[in-house]
Amino acid sequence: MEPIDSGTLRQGRLFAIGDIHGNAAALETVLSIIRPKTNDKLITLGDYIDRGPDTYAVVERLLELGSRCQFIPIMGNHEEVLLTIYAGRRMRITYADWLSFGGHETMLSYHAQNVHQIPDSHIQFLRSTVSYCVVDGYFFTHAMYDPALPFARQLKSVLRWKRLDSMKSVPLPHPSGIKAIVGHSAQRNGRVVDLGHLICLDTCCYGKNGFLTAMNVYTGEFIQADASGKLREGAI
């Protein structure tokens, strides 16, 4: 699916949800607080699968969201890997590599012996995800962007794989002046990174001290739930 630019459509609320990684209980808690409505826009930042125990339930829930709100799912690097394996294409990451960094848990959640036993509806959903979107003056993608390039010319390797590991890899503000909201770079302390021109919502839900984070983009408020589905006190 091609990237989306909705222009300025500031009606209802705008939420972004960070990397879910198969944590269905955390997703349910966050959605129970958001309660998305028809005029709301909800953007998920990728990495729905792997690591956590219930990728199947996560994707089932995301499939249902499209009928409740204006839902835009972004593709993460984990989805890219699974779809590449499913299509039988070669890449530098092998099937064994994928199993070692979360694919094993995904296969267990589907009770599958191989990726072709994953339901077609789930594969089609993952294929329908976009590389990025620009909504109401904000840029959303899974991982990062290159400030030297217009959004329409960004490389997928940057959008899905480049990490916010150190100050050396923090991009400059984009010349457009648009703020970026991303995931991918897991913050194991469970804290959102806010650099002013970039916000990272991957707060390592699958980790010991991690949470799934959702952000009300217009108000700057955060909702966080741990992998068990417990709401983080004071997070809203």
Side-chain angles (χ1 to χ4, degrees), residues 206-226:
Y206 61 88
K208 181 179 178 181
N209 299 307
F211 298 90
L212 176 64
T213 297
M215 177 184 182
N216 184 325
V217 177
Y218 296 151
T219 68
E221 296 173 301
F222 298 101
I223 303 164
Q224 292 187 311
D226 66 18

Side-chain angles (χ1 to χ4, degrees), residues 8-174:
T8 301
L9 299 171
R10 192 159 184 169
Q11 301 173 358
R13 301 172 298 166
L14 173 59
F15 283 94
I17 299 178
D19 303 39
I20 301 166
H21 275 304
N23 287 288
L27 178 62
E28 288 299 331
T29 296
V30 165
L31 290 175
S32 73
I33 301 298
I34 295 174
R35 296 185 180 181
K37 301 176 177 62
T38 303
N39 287 336
D40 294 334
K41 293 174 284 293
L42 179 60
I43 299 167
T44 47
L45 298 176
D47 281 5
Y48 314 114
I49 69 172
D50 298 349
R51 302 193 190 279
D54 211 344
T55 287
Y56 174 85
V58 166
V59 177
E60 281 288 296
R61 192 70 163 96
L62 296 179
L63 280 167
E64 182 264 342
L65 279 178
S67 64
R68 297 180 56 190
C69 63
Q70 300 172 47
F71 176 45
I72 305 174
I74 288 171
M75 182 180 290
N77 60 304
H78 283 256
E79 286 79 49
E80 181 183 272
V81 171
L82 172 57
L83 290 174
T84 301
I85 292 169
Y86 189 91
R89 297 193 300 269
R90 291 186 178 183
M91 65 182 306
R92 60 186 175 84
I93 294 173
T94 67
Y95 180 71
D97 291 334
W98 174 63
L99 290 177
S100 71
F101 63 70
H104 177 70
E105 289 82 359
T106 292
M107 296 297 282
L108 287 176
S109 78
Y110 285 106
H111 304 288
Q113 300 299 313
N114 62 74
V115 294
H116 292 96
Q117 293 176 335
I118 295 173
D120 289 344
S121 60
H122 287 209
I123 294 296
Q124 291 305 317
F125 167 75
L126 298 181
R127 285 174 173 164
S128 75
T129 56
V130 298
S131 297
Y132 73 85
C133 62
V134 179
V135 177
D136 296 354
Y138 296 89
F139 172 76
F140 301 86
T141 195
H142 176 61
M144 196 63 66
Y145 64 90
D146 183 344
L149 295 174
F151 292 136
R153 293 177 55 198
Q154 296 286 320
L155 299 176
K156 290 180 180 178
S157 59
V158 173
L159 295 174
R160 294 179 190 162
W161 290 92
K162 188 171 178 60
R163 292 192 179 278
L164 188 70
D165 287 332
S166 68
M167 291 308 294
K168 292 181 180 179
S169 64
V170 174
L172 295 170
H174 196 270

Side-chain angles (χ1 to χ4, degrees), residues 164 167 170-171 173 179 193-200:
L164 188 70
M167 291 308 294
V170 174
K179 179 181 287 191
V193 173
D194 188 348
L195 302 176
H197 64 285
L198 180 145
I199 294 175
C200 177

